[in-house]
Amino acid sequence: YKATDEASRIVMDSSGKFYFDVAASGTANGAISWTNAMTIDNSGRVTMPAQPAFGVGMSADQDNFAVYGTRTVLFDTERYDVGSNFNTGTYTFTAPITGKYTLSTCLQVDNWQGGANWYGIHIITSNKTYFYYHHVGAGSSNNSGGFSIAFVADMDANDTAYVGIYQHGGGSTSDLIYTGCHFSGVLSA
């Protein structure tokens, strides 16, 4: 470092790859510890190893969720979490920076209730709730099905996102099957 400050550099290797590296603030005359922020290969493919992204699932079925009122889906198992922004204790993603985040979820519901009118899948962010409602109709008892939604959400730094499910009508014996439930997101712009 020439001064106490952050640092960045662009390097091209012999294969034609470009590397954009960054370093946190350091001390004048101190050694620089570089971190790769982006690579562009000679085919134009871009990788960003620090790009916020997560993919989570459930470790067990969520049985007999209550009727009326949105219930939080218990996503407690990380498949990946670049940046450690997903909290498996609160089942919530927290945006580390402001941007547009592509969020998607898939839920598998088993033991539909014959008296249920519809099921709602919600991705709930600090700014907006994105939802999909599936009408099941009478006589659909003991059936199962999968529902999925995806949205690009405008999120500020420290905004949160989590998934909820809502059952309108019927009894509280519907289950979420952990093998068919997933939630993922990535900073897309």
Short mmCIF file of all heavy atoms in Angstrom, two decimals, residues 128-187:
data_model
loop_
_atom_site.label_atom_id
_atom_site.label_comp_id
_atom_site.label_asym_id
_atom_site.label_seq_id
_atom_site.Cartn_x
_atom_site.Cartn_y
_atom_site.Cartn_z
N LYS A 128 -41.94 -5.74 -0.11
CA LYS A 128 -43.11 -6.23 -0.82
C LYS A 128 -43.27 -7.72 -0.57
O LYS A 128 -42.30 -8.43 -0.35
CB LYS A 128 -42.93 -5.97 -2.32
CG LYS A 128 -44.09 -6.41 -3.19
CD LYS A 128 -43.87 -5.98 -4.64
CE LYS A 128 -44.94 -6.47 -5.58
NZ LYS A 128 -46.29 -6.10 -5.25
N THR A 129 -44.51 -8.19 -0.63
CA THR A 129 -44.79 -9.63 -0.59
C THR A 129 -45.16 -10.08 -1.99
O THR A 129 -46.08 -9.54 -2.61
CB THR A 129 -45.94 -9.94 0.39
OG1 THR A 129 -45.54 -9.57 1.71
CG2 THR A 129 -46.28 -11.43 0.38
N TYR A 130 -44.41 -11.06 -2.50
CA TYR A 130 -44.68 -11.66 -3.81
C TYR A 130 -45.42 -12.96 -3.53
O TYR A 130 -45.06 -13.70 -2.63
CB TYR A 130 -43.37 -11.94 -4.54
CG TYR A 130 -42.54 -10.69 -4.72
CD1 TYR A 130 -41.62 -10.30 -3.75
CD2 TYR A 130 -42.70 -9.90 -5.84
CE1 TYR A 130 -40.86 -9.14 -3.91
CE2 TYR A 130 -41.95 -8.73 -6.01
CZ TYR A 130 -41.04 -8.37 -5.03
OH TYR A 130 -40.31 -7.23 -5.19
N PHE A 131 -46.48 -13.25 -4.30
CA PHE A 131 -47.28 -14.42 -3.95
C PHE A 131 -47.87 -15.10 -5.17
O PHE A 131 -47.97 -14.53 -6.25
CB PHE A 131 -48.41 -14.03 -2.99
CG PHE A 131 -49.28 -12.91 -3.48
CD1 PHE A 131 -50.36 -13.15 -4.31
CD2 PHE A 131 -48.99 -11.60 -3.12
CE1 PHE A 131 -51.15 -12.11 -4.77
CE2 PHE A 131 -49.78 -10.55 -3.57
CZ PHE A 131 -50.86 -10.82 -4.41
N TYR A 132 -48.26 -16.35 -4.93
CA TYR A 132 -48.97 -17.16 -5.90
C TYR A 132 -50.04 -17.91 -5.13
O TYR A 132 -49.75 -18.51 -4.09
CB TYR A 132 -48.04 -18.15 -6.60
CG TYR A 132 -48.77 -19.22 -7.37
CD1 TYR A 132 -49.38 -18.94 -8.59
CD2 TYR A 132 -48.85 -20.52 -6.87
CE1 TYR A 132 -50.05 -19.92 -9.29
CE2 TYR A 132 -49.52 -21.51 -7.58
CZ TYR A 132 -50.12 -21.20 -8.78
OH TYR A 132 -50.79 -22.18 -9.47
N TYR A 133 -51.29 -17.88 -5.60
CA TYR A 133 -52.38 -18.61 -4.95
C TYR A 133 -52.84 -19.73 -5.86
O TYR A 133 -53.07 -19.53 -7.06
CB TYR A 133 -53.55 -17.69 -4.63
CG TYR A 133 -53.20 -16.69 -3.55
CD1 TYR A 133 -53.08 -15.34 -3.82
CD2 TYR A 133 -52.98 -17.12 -2.24
CE1 TYR A 133 -52.75 -14.43 -2.83
CE2 TYR A 133 -52.65 -16.23 -1.23
CZ TYR A 133 -52.54 -14.89 -1.54
OH TYR A 133 -52.21 -14.00 -0.56
N HIS A 134 -52.96 -20.92 -5.30
CA HIS A 134 -53.41 -22.08 -6.06
C HIS A 134 -54.76 -22.54 -5.52
O HIS A 134 -54.86 -22.94 -4.36
CB HIS A 134 -52.40 -23.22 -5.96
CG HIS A 134 -52.80 -24.42 -6.75
ND1 HIS A 134 -52.65 -24.48 -8.11
CD2 HIS A 134 -53.38 -25.58 -6.37
CE1 HIS A 134 -53.12 -25.65 -8.53
NE2 HIS A 134 -53.56 -26.34 -7.50
N HIS A 135 -55.79 -22.48 -6.35
CA HIS A 135 -57.12 -22.93 -5.97
C HIS A 135 -57.16 -24.45 -6.05
O HIS A 135 -56.83 -25.04 -7.07
CB HIS A 135 -58.17 -22.33 -6.91
CG HIS A 135 -59.56 -22.79 -6.62
ND1 HIS A 135 -60.26 -22.36 -5.51
CD2 HIS A 135 -60.36 -23.67 -7.26
CE1 HIS A 135 -61.45 -22.96 -5.50
NE2 HIS A 135 -61.53 -23.76 -6.55
N VAL A 136 -57.57 -25.11 -4.95
CA VAL A 136 -57.61 -26.58 -4.96
C VAL A 136 -59.02 -27.12 -5.11
O VAL A 136 -59.21 -28.21 -5.62
CB VAL A 136 -56.94 -27.18 -3.70
CG1 VAL A 136 -55.46 -26.89 -3.72
CG2 VAL A 136 -57.56 -26.67 -2.42
N GLY A 137 -60.03 -26.40 -4.64
CA GLY A 137 -61.42 -26.82 -4.82
C GLY A 137 -61.84 -27.96 -3.91
O GLY A 137 -61.03 -28.62 -3.27
N ALA A 138 -63.11 -28.20 -3.88
CA ALA A 138 -63.68 -29.24 -3.02
C ALA A 138 -63.28 -30.62 -3.51
O ALA A 138 -63.05 -30.84 -4.70
CB ALA A 138 -65.20 -29.11 -2.99
N GLY A 139 -63.19 -31.56 -2.58
CA GLY A 139 -62.90 -32.95 -2.92
C GLY A 139 -61.44 -33.22 -3.22
O GLY A 139 -61.11 -34.27 -3.77
N SER A 140 -60.55 -32.31 -2.87
CA SER A 140 -59.13 -32.51 -3.17
C SER A 140 -58.37 -33.10 -2.00
O SER A 140 -57.16 -33.06 -1.95
CB SER A 140 -58.50 -31.18 -3.60
OG SER A 140 -58.62 -30.24 -2.54
N SER A 141 -59.07 -33.65 -1.04
CA SER A 141 -58.47 -34.18 0.17
C SER A 141 -57.45 -35.27 -0.14
O SER A 141 -57.63 -36.08 -1.04
CB SER A 141 -59.56 -34.75 1.07
OG SER A 141 -59.04 -35.06 2.32
N ASN A 142 -56.35 -35.28 0.62
CA ASN A 142 -55.27 -36.26 0.55
C ASN A 142 -54.47 -36.22 -0.75
O ASN A 142 -53.72 -37.13 -1.04
CB ASN A 142 -55.79 -37.69 0.81
CG ASN A 142 -56.37 -37.82 2.19
OD1 ASN A 142 -55.81 -37.29 3.15
ND2 ASN A 142 -57.50 -38.48 2.31
N ASN A 143 -54.63 -35.20 -1.54
CA ASN A 143 -53.81 -35.02 -2.72
C ASN A 143 -52.53 -34.30 -2.34
O ASN A 143 -52.38 -33.82 -1.22
CB ASN A 143 -54.55 -34.22 -3.79
CG ASN A 143 -55.68 -35.01 -4.41
OD1 ASN A 143 -55.59 -36.22 -4.54
ND2 ASN A 143 -56.73 -34.32 -4.82
N SER A 144 -51.62 -34.20 -3.29
CA SER A 144 -50.40 -33.42 -3.06
C SER A 144 -50.03 -32.70 -4.35
O SER A 144 -50.52 -33.04 -5.42
CB SER A 144 -49.26 -34.33 -2.60
OG SER A 144 -48.92 -35.24 -3.62
N GLY A 145 -49.19 -31.72 -4.21
CA GLY A 145 -48.76 -30.98 -5.38
C GLY A 145 -47.62 -30.04 -5.07
O GLY A 145 -47.37 -29.72 -3.90
N GLY A 146 -46.93 -29.64 -6.10
CA GLY A 146 -45.83 -28.69 -5.93
C GLY A 146 -46.18 -27.36 -6.55
O GLY A 146 -46.86 -27.29 -7.57
N PHE A 147 -45.76 -26.30 -5.91
CA PHE A 147 -46.00 -24.94 -6.37
C PHE A 147 -44.67 -24.20 -6.38
O PHE A 147 -43.86 -24.40 -5.48
CB PHE A 147 -46.98 -24.21 -5.45
CG PHE A 147 -48.18 -25.01 -5.07
CD1 PHE A 147 -48.36 -25.46 -3.77
CD2 PHE A 147 -49.14 -25.35 -6.02
CE1 PHE A 147 -49.47 -26.20 -3.42
CE2 PHE A 147 -50.25 -26.09 -5.68
CZ PHE A 147 -50.41 -26.52 -4.37
N SER A 148 -44.46 -23.36 -7.36
CA SER A 148 -43.22 -22.59 -7.39
C SER A 148 -43.49 -21.17 -7.88
O SER A 148 -44.43 -20.93 -8.64
CB SER A 148 -42.18 -23.26 -8.29
OG SER A 148 -42.65 -23.35 -9.61
N ILE A 149 -42.67 -20.25 -7.41
CA ILE A 149 -42.72 -18.86 -7.86
C ILE A 149 -41.30 -18.32 -7.92
O ILE A 149 -40.41 -18.81 -7.22
CB ILE A 149 -43.60 -17.97 -6.95
CG1 ILE A 149 -43.10 -17.97 -5.50
CG2 ILE A 149 -45.05 -18.36 -7.01
CD1 ILE A 149 -43.80 -16.95 -4.61
N ALA A 150 -41.10 -17.31 -8.74
CA ALA A 150 -39.82 -16.62 -8.84
C ALA A 150 -40.09 -15.16 -9.17
O ALA A 150 -41.00 -14.85 -9.95
CB ALA A 150 -38.95 -17.26 -9.92
N PHE A 151 -39.33 -14.29 -8.56
CA PHE A 151 -39.48 -12.86 -8.79
C PHE A 151 -38.12 -12.19 -8.71
O PHE A 151 -37.20 -12.71 -8.07
CB PHE A 151 -40.38 -12.21 -7.71
CG PHE A 151 -41.81 -12.64 -7.80
CD1 PHE A 151 -42.28 -13.69 -7.05
CD2 PHE A 151 -42.68 -11.97 -8.65
CE1 PHE A 151 -43.61 -14.09 -7.14
CE2 PHE A 151 -44.00 -12.36 -8.74
CZ PHE A 151 -44.46 -13.42 -7.99
N VAL A 152 -38.00 -11.04 -9.33
CA VAL A 152 -36.85 -10.17 -9.15
C VAL A 152 -37.29 -9.09 -8.17
O VAL A 152 -38.19 -8.30 -8.47
CB VAL A 152 -36.37 -9.56 -10.48
CG1 VAL A 152 -35.20 -8.61 -10.23
CG2 VAL A 152 -35.97 -10.66 -11.46
N ALA A 153 -36.67 -9.10 -7.00
CA ALA A 153 -37.07 -8.19 -5.92
C ALA A 153 -36.06 -7.06 -5.77
O ALA A 153 -34.84 -7.30 -5.80
CB ALA A 153 -37.18 -8.96 -4.61
N ASP A 154 -36.57 -5.85 -5.60
CA ASP A 154 -35.73 -4.69 -5.31
C ASP A 154 -35.47 -4.69 -3.81
O ASP A 154 -36.39 -4.55 -3.01
CB ASP A 154 -36.48 -3.42 -5.74
CG ASP A 154 -35.67 -2.17 -5.49
OD1 ASP A 154 -34.43 -2.24 -5.53
OD2 ASP A 154 -36.29 -1.11 -5.24
N MET A 155 -34.20 -4.87 -3.43
CA MET A 155 -33.86 -4.93 -2.01
C MET A 155 -32.74 -3.95 -1.70
O MET A 155 -31.80 -3.81 -2.46
CB MET A 155 -33.44 -6.36 -1.62
CG MET A 155 -34.54 -7.40 -1.82
SD MET A 155 -34.05 -9.07 -1.35
CE MET A 155 -34.14 -8.91 0.47
N ASP A 156 -32.89 -3.27 -0.56
CA ASP A 156 -31.83 -2.40 -0.05
C ASP A 156 -30.94 -3.22 0.87
O ASP A 156 -31.34 -4.30 1.33
CB ASP A 156 -32.43 -1.23 0.73
CG ASP A 156 -33.28 -0.33 -0.15
OD1 ASP A 156 -32.90 -0.10 -1.31
OD2 ASP A 156 -34.35 0.13 0.32
N ALA A 157 -29.75 -2.72 1.15
CA ALA A 157 -28.87 -3.39 2.11
C ALA A 157 -29.62 -3.58 3.43
O ALA A 157 -30.32 -2.67 3.89
CB ALA A 157 -27.60 -2.57 2.33
N ASN A 158 -29.54 -4.77 3.98
CA ASN A 158 -30.17 -5.18 5.24
C ASN A 158 -31.66 -5.48 5.13
O ASN A 158 -32.29 -5.79 6.14
CB ASN A 158 -29.89 -4.18 6.37
CG ASN A 158 -28.42 -4.09 6.68
OD1 ASN A 158 -27.75 -5.12 6.81
ND2 ASN A 158 -27.90 -2.88 6.76
N ASP A 159 -32.25 -5.38 3.94
CA ASP A 159 -33.62 -5.87 3.76
C ASP A 159 -33.60 -7.39 3.88
O ASP A 159 -32.58 -8.04 3.63
CB ASP A 159 -34.16 -5.49 2.37
CG ASP A 159 -34.68 -4.06 2.31
OD1 ASP A 159 -34.71 -3.39 3.34
OD2 ASP A 159 -35.04 -3.63 1.19
N THR A 160 -34.74 -7.96 4.24
CA THR A 160 -34.82 -9.40 4.45
C THR A 160 -35.84 -10.05 3.53
O THR A 160 -36.73 -9.37 2.99
CB THR A 160 -35.20 -9.71 5.92
OG1 THR A 160 -36.47 -9.10 6.21
CG2 THR A 160 -34.14 -9.21 6.89
N ALA A 161 -35.70 -11.37 3.38
CA ALA A 161 -36.65 -12.15 2.58
C ALA A 161 -36.80 -13.53 3.22
O ALA A 161 -35.82 -14.13 3.65
CB ALA A 161 -36.16 -12.28 1.15
N TYR A 162 -38.04 -14.01 3.28
CA TYR A 162 -38.31 -15.36 3.74
C TYR A 162 -39.55 -15.87 3.03
O TYR A 162 -40.25 -15.13 2.35
CB TYR A 162 -38.46 -15.42 5.27
CG TYR A 162 -39.65 -14.67 5.82
CD1 TYR A 162 -40.84 -15.33 6.11
CD2 TYR A 162 -39.58 -13.31 6.08
CE1 TYR A 162 -41.94 -14.65 6.62
CE2 TYR A 162 -40.67 -12.61 6.59
CZ TYR A 162 -41.84 -13.29 6.86
OH TYR A 162 -42.93 -12.62 7.36
N VAL A 163 -39.82 -17.17 3.18
CA VAL A 163 -40.95 -17.80 2.48
C VAL A 163 -42.04 -18.14 3.48
O VAL A 163 -41.76 -18.62 4.59
CB VAL A 163 -40.49 -19.07 1.74
CG1 VAL A 163 -41.67 -19.80 1.11
CG2 VAL A 163 -39.46 -18.72 0.68
N GLY A 164 -43.28 -17.93 3.08
CA GLY A 164 -44.43 -18.30 3.89
C GLY A 164 -45.44 -19.10 3.08
O GLY A 164 -45.44 -19.05 1.86
N ILE A 165 -46.29 -19.84 3.79
CA ILE A 165 -47.38 -20.57 3.14
C ILE A 165 -48.67 -20.24 3.89
O ILE A 165 -48.67 -20.04 5.10
CB ILE A 165 -47.13 -22.09 3.10
CG1 ILE A 165 -48.22 -22.77 2.27
CG2 ILE A 165 -46.97 -22.68 4.50
CD1 ILE A 165 -47.84 -24.11 1.74
N TYR A 166 -49.75 -20.18 3.13
CA TYR A 166 -51.06 -19.83 3.68
C TYR A 166 -52.07 -20.85 3.16
O TYR A 166 -52.11 -21.13 1.97
CB TYR A 166 -51.46 -18.43 3.22
CG TYR A 166 -52.74 -17.89 3.80
CD1 TYR A 166 -52.69 -17.00 4.85
CD2 TYR A 166 -53.98 -18.28 3.30
CE1 TYR A 166 -53.88 -16.49 5.40
CE2 TYR A 166 -55.15 -17.79 3.84
CZ TYR A 166 -55.10 -16.90 4.89
OH TYR A 166 -56.26 -16.40 5.43
N GLN A 167 -52.87 -21.39 4.07
CA GLN A 167 -53.96 -22.28 3.68
C GLN A 167 -55.27 -21.62 4.07
O GLN A 167 -55.48 -21.28 5.23
CB GLN A 167 -53.84 -23.64 4.38
CG GLN A 167 -55.00 -24.58 4.04
CD GLN A 167 -54.92 -25.89 4.81
OE1 GLN A 167 -53.85 -26.43 5.01
NE2 GLN A 167 -56.08 -26.37 5.25
N HIS A 168 -56.17 -21.47 3.10
CA HIS A 168 -57.46 -20.86 3.34
C HIS A 168 -58.52 -21.95 3.42
O HIS A 168 -58.85 -22.58 2.42
CB HIS A 168 -57.80 -19.87 2.23
CG HIS A 168 -59.06 -19.11 2.49
ND1 HIS A 168 -60.29 -19.55 2.05
CD2 HIS A 168 -59.28 -17.95 3.15
CE1 HIS A 168 -61.21 -18.70 2.42
NE2 HIS A 168 -60.63 -17.71 3.08
N GLY A 169 -59.04 -22.18 4.61
CA GLY A 169 -60.08 -23.18 4.81
C GLY A 169 -59.52 -24.57 5.07
O GLY A 169 -58.34 -24.83 4.93
N GLY A 170 -60.41 -25.47 5.48
CA GLY A 170 -60.02 -26.85 5.75
C GLY A 170 -59.39 -27.02 7.12
O GLY A 170 -59.36 -26.10 7.93
N GLY A 171 -58.88 -28.21 7.37
CA GLY A 171 -58.25 -28.51 8.65
C GLY A 171 -56.74 -28.31 8.59
O GLY A 171 -56.15 -28.13 7.54
N SER A 172 -56.12 -28.38 9.76
CA SER A 172 -54.67 -28.13 9.83
C SER A 172 -53.90 -29.45 9.82
O SER A 172 -53.17 -29.77 10.75
CB SER A 172 -54.34 -27.31 11.07
OG SER A 172 -54.78 -27.99 12.23
N THR A 173 -54.05 -30.21 8.75
CA THR A 173 -53.30 -31.46 8.61
C THR A 173 -52.46 -31.49 7.34
O THR A 173 -51.89 -32.53 7.00
CB THR A 173 -54.26 -32.68 8.61
OG1 THR A 173 -55.18 -32.55 7.54
CG2 THR A 173 -55.00 -32.80 9.93
N SER A 174 -52.34 -30.37 6.64
CA SER A 174 -51.47 -30.31 5.46
C SER A 174 -50.01 -30.28 5.89
O SER A 174 -49.66 -29.76 6.95
CB SER A 174 -51.78 -29.08 4.62
OG SER A 174 -53.07 -29.15 4.06
N ASP A 175 -49.16 -30.86 5.04
CA ASP A 175 -47.74 -30.97 5.36
C ASP A 175 -46.90 -30.40 4.22
O ASP A 175 -47.26 -30.51 3.05
CB ASP A 175 -47.34 -32.44 5.53
CG ASP A 175 -48.22 -33.19 6.51
OD1 ASP A 175 -48.58 -32.59 7.55
OD2 ASP A 175 -48.55 -34.35 6.24
N LEU A 176 -45.75 -29.84 4.57
CA LEU A 176 -44.73 -29.49 3.59
C LEU A 176 -43.71 -30.63 3.60
O LEU A 176 -43.19 -30.99 4.66
CB LEU A 176 -44.04 -28.17 3.94
CG LEU A 176 -44.89 -26.92 3.76
CD1 LEU A 176 -44.17 -25.70 4.32
CD2 LEU A 176 -45.21 -26.71 2.29
N ILE A 177 -43.42 -31.20 2.44
CA ILE A 177 -42.50 -32.33 2.33
C ILE A 177 -41.10 -31.78 2.05
O ILE A 177 -40.87 -31.15 1.02
CB ILE A 177 -42.95 -33.29 1.21
CG1 ILE A 177 -44.41 -33.71 1.43
CG2 ILE A 177 -42.02 -34.49 1.12
CD1 ILE A 177 -44.69 -34.35 2.77
N TYR A 178 -40.18 -32.06 2.96
CA TYR A 178 -38.87 -31.40 2.92
C TYR A 178 -38.09 -31.69 1.63
O TYR A 178 -37.35 -30.83 1.15
CB TYR A 178 -38.04 -31.76 4.15
CG TYR A 178 -37.34 -33.09 4.10
CD1 TYR A 178 -36.00 -33.17 3.74
CD2 TYR A 178 -38.00 -34.27 4.44
CE1 TYR A 178 -35.35 -34.39 3.70
CE2 TYR A 178 -37.36 -35.49 4.41
CZ TYR A 178 -36.03 -35.55 4.03
OH TYR A 178 -35.39 -36.75 3.99
N THR A 179 -38.26 -32.86 1.05
CA THR A 179 -37.50 -33.18 -0.17
C THR A 179 -37.94 -32.36 -1.38
O THR A 179 -37.20 -32.26 -2.35
CB THR A 179 -37.60 -34.68 -0.50
OG1 THR A 179 -38.99 -35.03 -0.60
CG2 THR A 179 -36.93 -35.53 0.56
N GLY A 180 -39.13 -31.77 -1.32
CA GLY A 180 -39.64 -30.98 -2.44
C GLY A 180 -39.71 -29.50 -2.17
O GLY A 180 -40.34 -28.77 -2.92
N CYS A 181 -39.05 -29.03 -1.11
CA CYS A 181 -39.10 -27.61 -0.74
C CYS A 181 -37.71 -26.97 -0.84
O CYS A 181 -36.76 -27.48 -0.24
CB CYS A 181 -39.64 -27.45 0.67
SG CYS A 181 -41.36 -27.97 0.86
N HIS A 182 -37.62 -25.87 -1.59
CA HIS A 182 -36.35 -25.19 -1.81
C HIS A 182 -36.58 -23.69 -1.88
O HIS A 182 -37.66 -23.23 -2.28
CB HIS A 182 -35.71 -25.65 -3.13
CG HIS A 182 -35.71 -27.13 -3.30
ND1 HIS A 182 -34.80 -27.94 -2.69
CD2 HIS A 182 -36.54 -27.95 -4.00
CE1 HIS A 182 -35.06 -29.20 -3.00
NE2 HIS A 182 -36.11 -29.23 -3.80
N PHE A 183 -35.55 -22.93 -1.50
CA PHE A 183 -35.58 -21.47 -1.58
C PHE A 183 -34.20 -21.03 -2.02
O PHE A 183 -33.18 -21.49 -1.47
CB PHE A 183 -35.94 -20.89 -0.22
CG PHE A 183 -36.03 -19.38 -0.12
CD1 PHE A 183 -36.44 -18.59 -1.18
CD2 PHE A 183 -35.72 -18.75 1.08
CE1 PHE A 183 -36.54 -17.21 -1.07
CE2 PHE A 183 -35.82 -17.36 1.21
CZ PHE A 183 -36.22 -16.59 0.13
N SER A 184 -34.13 -20.16 -3.04
CA SER A 184 -32.83 -19.71 -3.51
C SER A 184 -32.91 -18.25 -3.93
O SER A 184 -33.97 -17.70 -4.17
CB SER A 184 -32.34 -20.57 -4.67
OG SER A 184 -33.22 -20.47 -5.77
N GLY A 185 -31.74 -17.64 -3.99
CA GLY A 185 -31.65 -16.25 -4.43
C GLY A 185 -30.25 -15.89 -4.86
O GLY A 185 -29.28 -16.53 -4.44
N VAL A 186 -30.15 -14.87 -5.70
CA VAL A 186 -28.86 -14.38 -6.17
C VAL A 186 -28.99 -12.90 -6.52
O VAL A 186 -30.03 -12.45 -7.01
CB VAL A 186 -28.37 -15.20 -7.39
CG1 VAL A 186 -29.31 -15.06 -8.58
CG2 VAL A 186 -26.94 -14.83 -7.77
N LEU A 187 -27.95 -12.13 -6.23
CA LEU A 187 -27.89 -10.74 -6.67
C LEU A 187 -27.74 -10.75 -8.18
O LEU A 187 -26.78 -11.27 -8.72
CB LEU A 187 -26.71 -10.02 -6.02
CG LEU A 187 -26.45 -8.59 -6.47
CD1 LEU A 187 -27.62 -7.68 -6.11
CD2 LEU A 187 -25.16 -8.07 -5.88
#
